[in-house]
């Protein structure tokens, strides 16, 4: 019942209002809207929360969404408004892995319904299949879809040479976002998945480097946090390499599974070696442990490497 949904939403809003009164939330936004001259075109998949995954605030960027983050006339309308009136300079196509639009099937029912709903705008004697396909815009491959749309939107540069366009790929299962550079050389998502372990290894190194840059922020949190007793600290591993990603796509190639694995492994090992060289890390890739610390009902994660460094500093 929509009344139940309405009740849930309004209760959520009351909770939001309560947080405003407690200064746990605020509606302040930068004077300049958007704060960053950025427009992100992404999928309507409810698992994607742009502000959360990039740790942005309301007012920071424009977000356009539809099924499969595809280019349409209406998207163009909003993009042009953002360029003309809000001086947007960067457009990002953020696609995601496991997009539902790759599984979209045009059944007879959908075709019939569509013809009834859009009887005025669809021509009577045209090819129903291609028209419905054109209308729903199902996508074949998430990665290729991003690359196609980057190319489509780059046509805008003819009129707005200062606009820059790029793509990003989000993994809804791990929370990682991959820059265009990391996946643009793969032809399809399947090939990206085969190298996923290596790609994530590089992300781990980025992650460790990043901790060094925000260490002071985390240490500041310590002033507010009363750490739990040793017995209450619960070590949790932050993330592991996905053990098996191939799954349903395993039959694409003619090479046998064993040959494929051997090839992938040696390729992965070579790339890991190069990464180690690049980041000058010796030995096994470090695992990041994250202890759980309770703070008035809020969990704050502080990585072990930070704690160890802090202990070291205290000793000195
Ligand atoms: Zn999607």
């Amino acid at each position: 019942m929509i009344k139940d949904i309405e009740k849930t939403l309004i209760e959520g809003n009351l909770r939001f209002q309560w947080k405003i009164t407690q200064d746990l939330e605020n509606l302040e936004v930068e004077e300049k809207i958007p704060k960053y001259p950025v427009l992100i075109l992404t999928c309507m998949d409810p698992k994607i929360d742009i502000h959360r995954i990039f740790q942005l605030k309301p007012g920071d960027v424009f977000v356009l969404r539809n099924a499969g983050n595809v280019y349409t006339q209406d998207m163009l309308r909003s993009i042009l408004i953002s360029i003309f009136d809000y001086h947007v300079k960067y457009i990002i196509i953020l696609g995601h892995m496991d997009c539902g639009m790759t599984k979209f099937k045009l059944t007879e029912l959908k075709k019939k319904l569509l013809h009834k709903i859009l009887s005025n705008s669809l021509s009577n004697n045209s090819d129903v299949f291609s028209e419905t396909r054109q209308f729903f815009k199902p996508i074949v491959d998430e990665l290729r879809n991003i690359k196609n749309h980057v190319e489509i939107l780059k046509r805008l540069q003819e009129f707005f040479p200062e606009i820059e366009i790029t793509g990003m790929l989000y993994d809804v299962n791990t929370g990682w976002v991959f820059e265009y550079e990391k996946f643009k050389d793969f032809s399809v998502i399947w090939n990206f998945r085969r190298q996923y372990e290596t790609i994530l290894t590089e992300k781990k190194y980025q992650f460790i480097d990043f901790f060094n840059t925000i260490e002071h922020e985390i240490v500041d949190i310590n002033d507010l946090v009363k750490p739990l007793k040793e017995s209450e600290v619960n070590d949790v591993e932050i993330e592991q390499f996905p053990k098996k990603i191939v799954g349903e796509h395993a039959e694409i190639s003619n090479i046998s599974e064993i040959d494929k694995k051997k090839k992938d492994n040696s390729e992965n090992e070579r790339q890991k070696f190069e990464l180690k060289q690049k980041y000058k890390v010796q030995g096994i890739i470090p695992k990041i442990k994250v202890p759980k610390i309770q703070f008035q009902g809020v969990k704050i994660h502080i990585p072990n490497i930070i704690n160890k460094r802090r202990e070291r500093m205290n000793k000195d």
Side-chain angles (χ1 to χ4, degrees):
M1 287 260 292
I2 197 149
K3 276 279 161 206
D4 297 334
I5 298 297
E6 189 181 69
K7 185 168 171 276
T8 306
L9 295 177
I10 294 300
E11 277 175 7
N13 183 245
L14 292 172
R15 200 176 290 269
F16 180 52
Q17 292 300 333
W18 176 79
K19 286 186 175 177
I20 290 173
T21 63
Q22 302 297 306
D23 284 335
L24 296 169
E25 293 269 6
N26 71 64
L27 293 173
E28 278 170 36
V29 287
E30 298 277 326
E31 217 164 280
K32 190 174 138 270
I33 298 289
K35 181 180 177 187
Y36 307 108
V38 174
L39 181 144
I40 300 174
L41 167 58
T42 192
C43 183
M44 69 177 189
D45 190 312
K47 294 191 289 294
I48 304 171
D49 181 344
I50 292 295
H51 288 79
R52 191 164 159 229
I53 64 179
F54 294 118
Q55 297 286 284
L56 295 169
K57 294 192 186 79
D60 281 357
V61 296
F62 278 112
V63 182
L64 295 180
R65 307 182 71 149
N66 66 17
N69 43 273
V70 299
Y71 174 82
T72 63
Q73 283 296 302
D74 193 55
M75 285 292 173
L76 177 63
R77 183 178 74 90
S78 304
I79 290 169
L80 289 178
I81 290 170
S82 75
I83 295 173
F84 284 136
D85 286 357
Y86 295 92
H87 313 290
V88 158
K89 290 207 163 32
Y90 308 104
I91 300 175
I92 298 164
I93 317 290
L94 180 89
H96 69 105
M97 291 158 90
D98 302 317
C99 183
M101 284 308 281
T102 58
K103 297 166 192 115
F104 187 86
K105 298 259 179 331
L106 279 174
T107 60
E108 277 306 310
L109 178 69
K110 281 177 190 159
K111 279 188 252 176
K112 274 183 190 154
L113 263 177
L114 184 73
H115 253 248
K116 278 188 181 152
I117 295 166
L118 298 175
S119 54
N120 291 333
S121 52
L122 292 184
S123 48
N124 285 331
N125 52 359
S126 61
D127 174 3
V128 178
F129 182 78
S130 66
E131 280 212 24
T132 45
R133 211 181 153 73
Q134 186 56 28
F135 179 77
F136 283 113
K137 299 182 172 42
I139 61 178
V140 179
D141 183 277
E142 299 95 322
L143 191 145
R144 214 156 60 188
N145 184 48
I146 300 172
K147 285 166 65 175
N148 285 345
H149 279 83
V150 167
E151 290 312 310
I152 290 170
L153 285 173
K154 274 191 175 167
R155 290 178 206 153
L156 284 173
Q157 288 170 328
E158 197 183 316
F159 310 100
F160 309 100
E162 72 282 10
I163 301 286
E164 289 181 52
I165 322 275
T166 192
M168 285 185 176
L169 177 65
Y170 177 54
D171 180 357
V172 289
N173 297 309
T174 62
W176 285 111
V177 175
F178 301 94
E179 307 91 316
Y180 201 52
E181 281 300 312
K182 299 274 189 299
F183 66 87
K184 73 174 174 39
D185 294 331
F186 294 101
S187 54
V188 289
I189 195 85
W190 159 245
N191 292 338
F192 178 82
R193 284 176 185 273
R194 280 171 68 180
Q195 296 297 318
Y196 201 52
E197 193 178 311
T198 311
I199 294 161
L200 270 189
T201 304
E202 177 148 18
K203 278 285 184 192
K204 279 196 167 192
Y205 289 130
Q206 263 187 25
F207 196 38
I208 292 163
D209 283 349
F210 178 69
F211 277 135
N212 293 328
T213 66
I214 60 158
E215 191 175 7
H216 60 285
E217 291 177 34
I218 295 174
V219 171
D220 282 349
I221 289 173
N222 199 39
D223 296 337
L224 303 168
V225 180
K226 225 169 84 196
L228 289 187
K229 285 175 229 130
E230 194 63 34
S231 58
E232 290 168 300
V233 175
N234 194 2
D235 267 359
V236 176
E237 205 161 302
I238 191 155
E239 51 115 347
Q240 292 175 325
F241 289 140
K243 291 205 170 54
K244 193 156 191 264
I245 319 162
V246 288
E248 59 194 289
H249 302 283
E251 284 167 21
I252 287 180
S253 164
N254 288 328
I255 322 165
S256 80
E257 273 305 309
I258 299 163
D259 287 345
K260 215 159 38 186
K261 265 182 199 151
K262 270 188 201 159
K263 192 164 165 275
D264 288 352
N265 282 346
S266 61
E267 181 64 8
N268 278 338
E269 286 310 315
R270 187 185 61 77
Q271 291 186 16
K272 271 189 210 166
F273 177 75
E274 283 173 7
L275 280 173
K276 279 182 190 171
Q277 295 297 311
K278 187 173 159 193
Y279 288 89
K280 296 188 176 52
V281 178
Q282 301 297 319
I284 310 159
I285 303 155
K287 278 187 180 171
I288 301 168
K289 298 262 187 178
V290 179
K292 260 191 215 161
I293 294 172
Q294 303 286 345
F295 172 59
Q296 293 177 352
V298 182
K299 280 174 191 160
I300 296 174
H301 296 281
I302 300 181
N304 251 359
I305 49 165
I306 304 292
N307 284 337
K308 283 203 183 113
R309 200 166 296 144
R310 211 180 283 147
E311 278 167 26
R312 253 201 331 260
M313 273 163 58
N314 288 344
K315 271 184 203 157
D316 293 341

